[in-house]
Amino acid sequence: AQKITQTQPGMFVQEKEAVTLDCTYDTSDPSYGLFWYKQPSSGEMIFLIYQGSYDQQNATEGRYSLNFQKARKSANLVISASQLGDSAMYFCAMREFLMDSSYKLIFGSGTRLLVRP
Amino acid sequence: EADIYQTPRYLVIGTGKKITLECSQTMGHDKMYWYQQDPGMELHLIHYSYGVNSTEKGDLSSESTVSRIRTEHFPLTLESARPSHTSQYLCASSQPGSSTTDTQYFGPGTRLTVL
């Protein structure tokens, strides 16, 4: 069975500094996709970044980048130049296919990030 | 990005009432999903649909039911609400081939409290 592990329940970072949120995964499938979502206190899930298992380069999206280490089965999210609005819950997730190209996301337990002014 | 809407955003209701949580998307996505999330916890899939007139149960056992009569609409119904149904319910949609990532985009969620 596929599994996502996030070992940091909570993190602090100073405004304008970079922070790394850890994510490790377990799967026996050679082809897989990894996602990071942000969930503010308002509750919606905001897609941040995606990494495919066959992607040659680490994904980047603005201030977000993914430190993808396939051999170690880790996909850590790096947020550069933290802003107060980055304070939120962050979830790492893996895709598991279901019927007819639909799929479910298997989520980790999340990391709550607090940005200090 | 998908435009996906959920109503109501917040609902407080008494035990035994029938409720329907609405979810609509305007992007023509074939795949739609319902997840349940307890406070501070991860999301779990409770229902999904891979097209009109197709619905399947997810991993997490749920007493709710869903329907998919139109592509854009995927409502979730609880026939008789109980306090154990208190949770946040998030709807999502995706479309293979719409992007390289085939991302699931989420609605704003419905926070349900059953007294």
Side-chain angles (χ1 to χ4, degrees), chain A residues 6 9 11 15 23 30 35 43 47 50 58 63 74 80 83 86-87 91-92 96 103 109 115:
Chain A
Q6 294 180 255
M11 291 276 288
E15 193 178 7
C23 172
F35 300 80
F47 166 68
Y50 168 84
N58 287 345
R63 293 187 298 112
S74 73
S80 63
Q83 302 172 356
D86 293 335
S87 293
F91 288 96
C92 180
E96 180 176 303
Y103 67 90
S109 55
V115 181

Side-chain angles (χ1 to χ4, degrees), chain A residues 33 35 37 93-96 98 103-107, chain B residues 33 35 43-45 59 92 103-104 106:
Chain A
F35 300 80
Y37 284 85
M94 172 178 283
R95 173 167 50 204
E96 180 176 303
L98 302 168
Y103 67 90
K104 69 178 179 183
L105 289 169
I106 298 169
F107 287 88
Chain B
Y33 312 84
Y35 289 85
L43 285 72
H44 292 281
L45 183 73
D59 294 334
T103 301
Q104 278 188 17
F106 284 80

Side-chain angles (χ1 to χ4, degrees), chain A:
Chain A
Q2 298 182 327
K3 186 178 179 182
I4 295 286
T5 302
Q6 294 180 255
T7 57
Q8 304 155 313
M11 291 276 288
F12 290 97
V13 65
Q14 205 67 33
E15 193 178 7
K16 299 180 185 177
E17 292 185 349
V19 63
T20 298
L21 306 184
D22 294 342
C23 172
T24 58
Y25 59 91
D26 190 18
T27 181
S28 56
D29 292 337
S31 175
Y32 50 88
L34 297 158
F35 300 80
W36 276 93
Y37 284 85
K38 172 185 177 182
Q39 187 175 43
S41 57
S42 52
E44 73 269 33
M45 295 287 284
I46 302 167
F47 166 68
L48 297 178
I49 197 166
Y50 168 84
Q51 181 80 46
S53 57
Y54 293 124
D55 293 342
Q56 295 296 316
Q57 294 186 332
N58 287 345
T60 61
E61 195 69 51
R63 293 187 298 112
Y64 304 108
S65 61
L66 213 149
N67 184 1
F68 182 48
Q69 299 188 43
K70 200 169 179 177
R72 298 179 64 181
K73 293 190 173 181
S74 73
N76 299 338
L77 177 70
V78 180
I79 306 175
S80 63
S82 296
Q83 302 172 356
L84 296 178
D86 293 335
S87 293
M89 196 78 164
Y90 289 81
F91 288 96
C92 180
M94 172 178 283
R95 173 167 50 204
E96 180 176 303
F97 280 102
L98 302 168
M99 295 181 67
D100 195 20
S101 300
S102 55
Y103 67 90
K104 69 178 179 183
L105 289 169
I106 298 169
F107 287 88
S109 55
T111 296
R112 186 170 298 281
L113 177 67
L114 184 61
V115 181
R116 290 171 167 155

Side-chain angles (χ1 to χ4, degrees), chain B residues 70-110:
Chain B
R70 303 197 313 268
T71 298
E72 63 271 21
H73 196 212
F74 190 39
L76 181 146
T77 298
L78 277 166
E79 289 293 332
S80 179
R82 296 208 299 269
S84 61
H85 296 139
T86 295
S87 191
Q88 172 158 254
Y89 295 84
L90 288 139
C91 182
S93 72
S94 68
Q95 181 66 32
S98 63
S99 68
T100 56
T101 65
D102 185 18
T103 301
Q104 278 188 17
Y105 293 100
F106 284 80
T110 294

Side-chain angles (χ1 to χ4, degrees), chain B residues 8 10 13 19 26 54 60 62 77 83-84:
Chain B
Y10 303 91
I13 202 163
I19 59 171
T26 59
S54 79
L60 189 65
S62 175
T77 298
S84 61

